[in-house]
Amino acid sequence: MGEHDGHRDRLRKRFLEQGMDVLQDDQVLELLLFYALPRRDTNDLARKLLKHFGSIAAVLEAPLQELKTVGGIGESAAVLLHLITPLARRYLLSRVSPGVVLTSTQACGEYLLPYFFGATEELVYLLCLDGRCRVLACRLLQRGGINSASFSLRKVAEVAISSHASSVVLAHNHPAGIALPSHEDVELTRRLQQALDVVDILLLDHLVIADDDFVSLRDSGYLR
């Protein structure tokens, strides 16, 4: 066993025995890259990635093609790095319990947060609830903000009706901003409330989400 293999084994053993918290960000990336680049020294590559992107979060959220612009990062390494964030999102969603009862703004927000984990584009979801506030479905309405031309109030109503919902919570994210509703968010919420009133479905709330934070338009006084 050479010095290179010995270093890998020591780092791997340290992680297995002491956990990830004892590792620096470059060591975490170095360890991950072992599995895409089994014959290369990945310590230098890990440092280059952090220097180029600025943080481990930025590395793992980077577009595939931009990862490949870093010298030494080929297709296999780029795909492995690009896989981590959607895999973490899938893990979080797998822990979401179907049929759970959500009786507060906080409970709705915590239920919805995993759907937006790591998202770099605007997403719009509709959380559908029965008369006891039990989750019936959580449907992706569209990729692209609620203020885009493609957003349809009719589609919201159709999804709510097809899910047999008594009430719904609309949620969308601000990927590059803070969780504060815009004037357009408020106006659309009021129009959506009127549209759902016609089909006797209650708009419980509209949540604006950014990272692990969310703001309720109902709690902010924008919904009657």
Side-chain angles (χ1 to χ4, degrees), residues 133-150:
C133 292
R134 182 177 57 190
V135 175
L136 297 171
C138 190
R139 302 283 178 81
L140 177 66
L141 294 179
Q142 74 173 38
R143 297 179 181 275
I146 62 169
N147 301 315
S148 69
S150 62

Side-chain angles (χ1 to χ4, degrees), residues 46-202:
R47 293 175 184 273
K48 286 169 68 174
L49 284 165
L50 287 173
K51 183 177 180 180
H52 181 87
F53 292 102
S55 70
I56 195 168
V59 171
L60 297 179
E61 293 170 1
L64 188 68
Q65 293 306 316
E66 190 172 351
L67 286 168
K68 291 162 69 174
T69 65
V70 177
I73 298 296
E75 181 76 14
S76 294
V79 169
L80 180 62
L81 292 169
H82 195 60
L83 174 66
I84 301 303
T85 298
L87 177 61
R89 178 175 180 271
R90 182 66 63 89
Y91 162 74
L92 291 172
L93 287 175
S94 73
R95 300 183 67 193
V96 172
S97 302
V100 67
V101 176
L102 305 176
T103 57
S104 68
T105 300
Q106 187 67 26
C108 288
E110 290 177 357
Y111 185 94
L112 284 160
L113 280 176
Y115 287 87
F116 298 91
F117 178 81
T120 56
E121 61 182 331
E122 291 189 39
L123 304 173
V124 185
Y125 277 91
L126 189 70
L127 178 62
C128 300
L129 308 171
D130 69 8
R132 297 182 179 180
C133 292
R134 182 177 57 190
V135 175
L136 297 171
C138 190
R139 302 283 178 81
L140 177 66
L141 294 179
Q142 74 173 38
R143 297 179 181 275
I146 62 169
N147 301 315
S148 69
S150 62
F151 187 77
S152 167
L153 297 181
R154 170 178 281 186
K155 182 176 181 179
V156 178
E158 289 175 349
V159 170
I161 292 169
S162 67
S163 299
H164 306 290
S166 297
S167 60
V168 297
V169 176
L170 187 71
H172 82 283
N173 61 328
H174 290 172
I178 56 176
L180 288 177
S182 66
H183 174 73
E184 292 80 8
D185 294 340
V186 174
E187 288 304 310
L188 182 137
T189 301
R190 289 173 174 159
R191 287 193 287 115
L192 178 58
Q193 186 176 43
Q194 292 170 358
L196 290 173
D197 282 348
V198 173
V199 292
D200 198 27
I201 294 174
L202 176 65

